[in-house]
Amino acid sequence: MKFNQITIEDDVERLIILRKRFNLNQFQLAKELKISKSYLTKIENRSLPLSSAFIEKLNDYLKREKLLYEKNIYID
């Protein structure tokens, strides 16, 4: 197997990669999403499915982060 042959299997794996890319632990991301750490842990362990409400919270968080990032770029 080669590096470029590695694929992201599903949304749970995508969530874990995203969390790690933002350098957040489960507690920190749960706090940002206003959910419990145990709920996030269950999702990442595939004990609970990713709900549309959870994905909406995650998308809102990403929008906020994008706005903060763009705002910081243009500060002199």
Side-chain angles (χ1 to χ4, degrees):
M1 176 181 282
K2 294 181 181 181
F3 180 75
N4 62 352
Q5 293 174 319
I6 299 171
T7 60
I8 297 174
E9 295 295 322
D10 58 21
D11 287 339
V12 172
E13 191 172 335
R14 186 174 286 109
L15 168 65
I16 294 167
I17 291 168
L18 178 72
R19 178 174 60 77
K20 290 179 179 183
R21 182 172 284 171
F22 277 91
N23 199 26
L24 299 172
N25 61 36
Q26 287 180 332
F27 176 79
Q28 292 166 320
L29 181 58
K31 185 177 177 183
E32 290 291 332
L33 299 178
K34 297 177 176 60
I35 61 171
S36 70
K37 179 191 173 285
S38 63
Y39 180 67
L40 180 59
T41 300
K42 289 177 183 177
I43 290 173
E44 288 191 4
N45 289 335
R46 302 171 196 278
S47 299
L48 289 175
L50 277 158
S51 68
S52 57
F54 177 85
I55 293 171
E56 187 175 325
K57 285 179 182 245
L58 190 55
N59 283 333
D60 288 343
Y61 170 73
L62 292 172
K63 286 177 194 173
R64 287 192 314 269
E65 284 298 307
K66 181 181 180 205
L67 288 173
L68 286 173
Y69 176 77
E70 289 173 348
K71 184 177 179 182
N72 286 337
I73 288 176
Y74 298 110
I75 293 176
D76 291 327

